[in-house]
Amino acid sequence: MSVTAAKGFTAAGIAAGIKENGNPDLALVVNTGPRRAAAGVFTSNRVKAAPVLWSEQVLKGGQVSAVVLNSGGANACTGPKGFQDTHATAEKVAEVLGRGAIEVAVCSTGLIGVLLPMDKLLPGVETAAAQLSEHGGEKAAIAIKTTDTVHKTSVVTRNGWTVGGMAKGAGMLAPGLATMLVVLTTDAVVDSDVLDKALRDATRTTFDRVDSDGCMSTNDTVLLLSSGSADVTPDYEEFAEAVRQVCDDLGQQLIRDAEGASKDIKVEVVGAASEDDAVEVGRSIARNNLLKCAIHGEDPNWGRVLSAIGTTKAVFEPDRLNVAINGVWVCKNGGVGEDRDKVDMRYREVHIVADLAAGSETATIWTNDLTADYVHENSAYSS
Amino acid sequence: MSVTAAKGFTAAGIAAGIKENGNPDLALVVNTGPRRAAAGVFTSNRVKAAPVLWSEQVLKGGQVSAVVLNSGGANACTGPKGFQDTHATAEKVAEVLGRGAIEVAVCSTGLIGVLLPMDKLLPGVETAAAQLSEHGGEKAAIAIKTTDTVHKTSVVTRNGWTVGGMAKGAGMLAPGLATMLVVLTTDAVVDSDVLDKALRDATRTTFDRVDSDGCMSTNDTVLLLSSGSADVTPDYEEFAEAVRQVCDDLGQQLIRDAEGASKDIKVEVVGAASEDDAVEVGRSIARNNLLKCAIHGEDPNWGRVLSAIGTTKAVFEPDRLNVAINGVWVCKNGGVGEDRDKVDMRYREVHIVADLAAGSETATIWTNDLTADYVHENSAYSS
């Protein structure tokens, strides 16, 4: 059901001809109201794609009537012409729907440095608008796929209101940095400042901690739109938790679909002096190519975990560090622990616990193993 | 000639039986004087191997009589017993040579988390001492190899004095973080504080800018020993430049021998507002797995360069960035530049220039491509 699970939203997904292979490549999500409050978070990459620059301006108004998304081209590093194209796309959606362009968010995903075929995209907007439906969520989710092998949707329903969403992304591993795009919708009555807080709280501990290959896109966008159609104003904590659950679910789906990956690795840092320390250590472990190769080889190589921890500024003493891999404490007090032969690494999910023995804060970062398939998918690709 | 090119040094390399395959695994370098000033730089990893902790103490005295190096075991994350083993090794060398143990530096390389076979190592010290020779430099260089396919040596000779050295390391790509170890010797008369300054200046722009896979070892050590045997006190600038040349040559040899690599990538950042900015940007580009895969695929994917630059805090405007790959300015002013089909990527060396257009500072980082062979060598390895 995706973005149309919540009442007050219609969606469509079509093949506009942006992708040369004829696959669906254009999605439209429309908020039919009565409210149109919205919030968004965007890539922190300083090289931002034209649609990100545009949508950041849109979200400053706190209101979004529609989101138009295309796959088949990122419209990044495309200069003034690229920005004009994004603007023209928003204007076209506004014209077709009878709304203001400044309430139309735009998302693009695909190759960097290539202009979009506007002669196909603009007619596609008209086609998509004609197919808008309360059941269009799945088609929209399919139309934003790039190297994704499956489309990703999630829904959480509470007392009289719903949060639903769709995502695209192959764990940020996609060729050409083809981006994570997420659109979430709710029919709960929530103002834009509250949406913004709930969304930032949720992304901080979900999408921001999915770190498949450490590479940050120019196009990442997560939007949350409220139609207010359910006529229910939820308790903040309950609403924020529902948003967090949907984000967590979609983030997990991204990791499981990461290009070329054979393992999903949960890096859980415990005993940290601060949450920042836990995140820093988790990211350092998650980004260590040598460890990611070892996990691919089903080798519980705790020395590479310690070596990654040692590069951080976190509070810890080297001779108090402990590491468990799939439940076996292979490193105790900075040295050899339980027998590493006890570690069973046959399954796709691998759980690493790094205990800094320096406090009580924790954080979990998800990543993938590094495989020959990853290299192949990201080197054989002609961009 | 390696570490024995400079007068006043003897060396040996033997098979002590630390490696199960019977290859050479123990090297000894002895300063026969008349002087024994020394300097050292060590890994900045906070998880340091026992020999690093020991040798850091040795170098505080500014004098080194001998260096004993073993391959076949890193003696890292081995607790108090590991440190005792390092100490016992230094004591053994001191006893055999009739020197003080506090002037014996120790270096180890190999797997993390495994104790050294002292019953083989200590007799090996006696064997090595018996074979010390003014022509032993090459054998010493061979004995410190781990996954290295070739041994690495370099010599620079000036007016009456020489700087020579040996290195091991497969671009920091070695399984188990098997470390970069470097021993440099000179017969010039140079005090330890001057050695220290020259060594730090040299490593800062050579070994520190060789960033094959972003993984930092627990054992990295670079030592510079002066015998004073040439009885010449060189001009500082001339001496520092000779040390820099030897370090640069050895660093290049490490990159060219990087495990699984098919390309050596020179990332040159120009137009930076500061040298720190240039280094930060260079490292960000050099560590981007997506770009490293693209280079492996001979794909001049400048979008991945811009995306990597965008994650830094360096001074730049996105729409002023320029990128050249092998001499072709494929990105100009943050957008599409010259025809990317003009880029010839058939050869092993790839030259990326990133122009931040924000100043006049520069820095060069060397890295390698990311290949299926890298994954294989670092995952199939049982540590």
Side-chain angles (χ1 to χ4, degrees), chain B residues 11-282:
Chain B
I14 65 146
I18 304 167
K19 287 179 180 167
E20 290 185 0
N21 63 9
N23 283 342
D25 50 19
L26 189 73
L28 191 57
V29 180
V30 176
N31 183 345
T32 59
R35 298 164 54 87
R36 52 185 194 279
V41 296
F42 301 92
T43 181
S44 58
N45 199 310
R46 290 171 58 199
V47 176
K48 296 180 202 294
V52 169
L53 294 171
W54 169 263
S55 297
E56 282 182 336
Q57 293 305 312
V58 169
L59 267 297
K60 281 188 181 167
Q63 299 208 325
V64 171
S65 291
V67 185
V68 56
L69 311 92
N70 75 274
S71 51
N75 198 6
C77 307
T78 43
K81 178 67 171 71
F83 192 80
Q84 287 167 21
D85 287 347
T86 289
H87 189 189
T89 304
E91 290 282 3
K92 183 70 180 177
V93 172
E95 173 199 324
V96 170
L97 300 179
R99 313 280 181 101
I102 195 56
E103 292 189 5
V104 178
V106 181
C107 301
S108 299
T109 174
L111 298 183
I112 291 179
V114 181
L115 289 167
L116 291 171
M118 296 303 288
D119 58 328
K120 291 171 178 163
L121 200 155
L122 295 182
V125 169
E126 293 190 21
T127 308
Q131 297 186 18
L132 284 167
S133 151
E134 290 176 5
H135 307 289
E138 186 162 5
K139 282 192 176 173
I142 290 169
I144 58 174
K145 284 169 59 185
T146 54
T147 54
D148 307 63
T149 63
V150 294
H151 61 283
K152 290 115 182 165
T153 66
S154 184
V155 174
V156 167
T157 296
R158 291 284 176 269
N159 261 345
W161 54 273
T162 291
V163 176
M166 65 179 183
K168 68 81 45 182
M172 301 181 70
L173 289 158
L177 297 167
T179 312
M180 176 185 75
L181 299 182
V182 180
V183 179
L184 309 174
T185 57
T186 183
D187 45 19
V189 177
V190 189
D191 288 338
S192 61
D193 56 340
V194 178
L195 291 174
D196 189 71
K197 177 165 169 32
L199 186 60
R200 285 177 198 282
D201 282 354
T203 56
R204 190 177 71 81
T205 58
T206 56
F207 294 120
D208 283 355
R209 296 188 184 174
V210 169
D211 195 335
S212 184
D213 64 355
C215 294
M216 187 195 297
S217 161
T218 51
N219 290 50
D220 290 338
T221 301
V222 185
L223 301 174
L224 172 57
L225 281 56
S226 161
S227 69
S229 177
D231 205 20
V232 177
T233 302
D235 168 70
Y236 174 74
E237 295 301 333
E238 193 180 16
F239 178 69
E241 176 58 21
V243 173
R244 198 200 64 76
Q245 279 185 29
V246 172
C247 289
D248 189 48
D249 183 16
L250 291 172
Q252 291 297 311
Q253 292 180 49
L254 295 180
I255 277 285
R256 285 198 294 274
D257 196 28
E259 282 180 10
S262 69
K263 301 283 187 191
D264 305 330
I265 309 170
K266 180 182 184 178
V267 180
E268 185 180 1
V269 180
V270 303
S274 69
E275 186 179 356
D276 284 350
D277 274 10
V279 171
E280 183 192 0
V281 168

Side-chain angles (χ1 to χ4, degrees), chain B residues 270-274 355-361:
Chain B
V270 303
S274 69
D355 173 18
L356 303 186
S360 58
E361 297 296 320

Side-chain angles (χ1 to χ4, degrees), chain A residues 80-131:
Chain A
K81 179 65 170 73
F83 192 81
Q84 287 167 20
D85 287 347
T86 288
H87 189 187
T89 305
E91 289 282 3
K92 183 70 180 180
V93 172
E95 171 198 327
V96 170
L97 299 178
R99 314 278 180 101
I102 195 55
E103 293 189 5
V104 178
V106 181
C107 301
S108 298
T109 175
L111 299 183
I112 291 179
V114 181
L115 289 167
L116 292 172
M118 297 304 287
D119 58 328
K120 291 171 180 164
L121 200 156
L122 295 182
V125 168
E126 293 190 22
T127 307
Q131 296 185 19

Side-chain angles (χ1 to χ4, degrees), chain A residues 46 293 307 310 314 340 379 383, chain B residues 46 177 293 307 310 314 340 379 383:
Chain A
R46 290 169 59 198
C293 286
S307 187
R340 39 166 289 155
S379 61
S383 66
Chain B
R46 290 171 58 199
L177 297 167
C293 286
S307 189
R340 38 165 290 155
S379 61
S383 67

Side-chain angles (χ1 to χ4, degrees), chain A residues 16 23 68 83 94 102 166 177 179 200 262 269 271 328 336 342 350 372 382:
Chain A
N23 283 343
V68 57
F83 192 81
I102 195 55
M166 65 180 184
L177 298 168
T179 313
R200 284 177 198 282
S262 69
V269 180
V328 181
V336 180
K342 289 182 184 165
V350 175
S382 173

